[in-house]
Amino acid sequence: MTTEDVGPGTGGSVRLDEPERRRQLPMWLESLLLLVLALGLAVLIKALLVQAFYIPSESMEPGLVRNDRILVQKVSYWFGGTPQRGDVVVFKDPGGWLPEEDLVGPANPVTKLMAKVGLYPSGGHLVKRVIGVAGDTIHCCDDRGRLEVNGVALDEKTYARKGGAACFGPMVPGCSWTAGPVPAGTIFVMGDNRNDSADSSYHLRKANGRTNDEAYVPVDLVVGKVLVVLWPHDHFRWLHRPDDFAGVPDPVPTTTRR
């Protein structure tokens, strides 16, 4: 409290109250509001910016190892942006690419909530490298066992491995096949562990009722591009598009005879 004289001859003083203290919320209510705000922010970030996933298999070795935690960014594909050759992308199962057990997400309530806000990996997704985009033709392989995209061979030794195969583009029954032109609105993807990945080259063959169209992944199913390996800490690294894809020319438009 403070006092102030009212003037000479009054013989007294008047007490002036300090500004009334702001009322504070109970601690439990403040904590609850902060939690709700944090969850809302996490949902917004997941929807617009980044999302966490994990690597479920050996199909992307040697770069991405089983149980690696990765962060996927979505900004690159805003405003009409689309996946580019060489990008490592996460996408929803186009249908029949994953076994039933991999389609199931987290089981307990805590991990389910974390998955909802993007802090825990959810099920039903795959991670592969984009090899071809709309209009591209992919051929396996040249006389050195290299994939060719639009007639240009890729030197993939820095990020992909044959896994005992004779080429970098194995597909049952062997290393001689051609895919494409890739339909509009889709991409052709492959795992970096080329002899151990149920990818576009695997689904290219007709078997068990499959058609060639099932080899291509709709761009609408792509969640985003892998930005960084977060965990374990000794695997931490940023992912970049390999330089050899820069030399691939755009596909030559096909003309239709009348």
Side-chain angles (χ1 to χ4, degrees), residues 90-95 125-126 185 187 216-224:
V90 169
F91 56 94
K92 297 178 182 177
D93 182 10
H125 294 81
L126 300 95
I187 52 178
Y216 307 103
V217 177
V219 172
D220 291 345
L221 297 183
V222 175
V223 176

Side-chain angles (χ1 to χ4, degrees), residues 10-38:
T10 60
S13 61
V14 175
R15 188 179 296 274
L16 301 178
D17 290 337
E18 292 178 345
E20 185 179 356
R21 290 184 178 180
R22 294 180 180 178
R23 293 183 179 180
Q24 292 186 345
L25 295 174
M27 182 65 71
W28 68 268
L29 184 54
E30 282 191 356
S31 300
L32 180 61
L33 289 175
L34 287 173
L35 177 60
V36 171
L37 179 62

Side-chain angles (χ1 to χ4, degrees), residues 11-238:
S13 61
V14 175
R15 188 179 296 274
L16 301 178
D17 290 337
E18 292 178 345
E20 185 179 356
R21 290 184 178 180
R22 294 180 180 178
R23 293 183 179 180
Q24 292 186 345
L25 295 174
M27 182 65 71
W28 68 268
L29 184 54
E30 282 191 356
S31 300
L32 180 61
L33 289 175
L34 287 173
L35 177 60
V36 171
L37 179 62
L39 289 176
L41 183 60
V43 170
L44 182 63
I45 290 174
K46 173 189 173 182
L48 298 178
L49 299 176
V50 295
Q51 188 172 351
F53 290 92
Y54 75 99
I55 304 300
S57 70
E58 295 84 9
S59 69
M60 285 300 292
E61 292 182 355
L64 301 178
V65 181
R66 178 193 283 268
N67 291 325
D68 275 356
R69 264 50 178 181
I70 58 176
L71 199 61
V72 171
Q73 60 95 346
K74 306 178 180 184
V75 180
S76 293
Y77 304 147
W78 285 4
F79 308 114
T82 57
Q84 302 298 305
R85 305 180 194 97
D87 289 353
V88 177
V89 297
V90 169
F91 56 94
K92 297 178 182 177
D93 182 10
W97 281 44
L98 285 173
E100 289 296 328
E101 58 269 21
D102 290 340
L103 293 172
V104 180
N108 68 68
V110 175
T111 52
K112 282 183 178 180
L113 177 60
M114 293 176 66
K116 286 288 186 183
V117 299
L119 300 178
Y120 192 88
S122 56
H125 294 81
L126 300 95
V127 56
K128 305 292 179 189
R129 188 179 299 276
V130 179
I131 302 298
V133 297
D136 287 348
T137 298
I138 302 95
H139 173 68
C140 175
C141 282
D142 71 1
D143 55 3
R144 295 170 56 185
R146 300 176 302 178
L147 279 176
E148 294 180 330
V149 180
N150 299 337
V152 172
L154 302 176
D155 185 8
E156 302 185 277
K157 294 189 295 292
T158 59
Y159 57 85
R161 72 182 186 192
K162 298 178 182 178
C167 62
F168 279 100
M171 180 195 72
V172 178
C175 289
S176 179
W177 51 268
T178 298
V182 177
T186 69
I187 52 178
F188 187 92
V189 298
M190 296 183 72
D192 285 349
N193 190 1
R194 295 295 163 78
N195 205 31
D196 188 16
S197 178
D199 51 26
S200 288
S201 67
Y202 175 85
H203 291 282
L204 186 66
R205 61 188 172 88
K206 293 182 178 180
N208 299 324
R210 300 185 192 279
T211 65
N212 283 350
D213 288 343
E214 294 182 16
Y216 307 103
V217 177
V219 172
D220 291 345
L221 297 183
V222 175
V223 176
K225 178 169 65 174
V226 179
L227 175 66
V228 63
V229 181
L230 285 176
W231 188 262
H233 63 84
D234 56 333
H235 289 184
F236 180 90
R237 66 187 180 92
W238 301 93

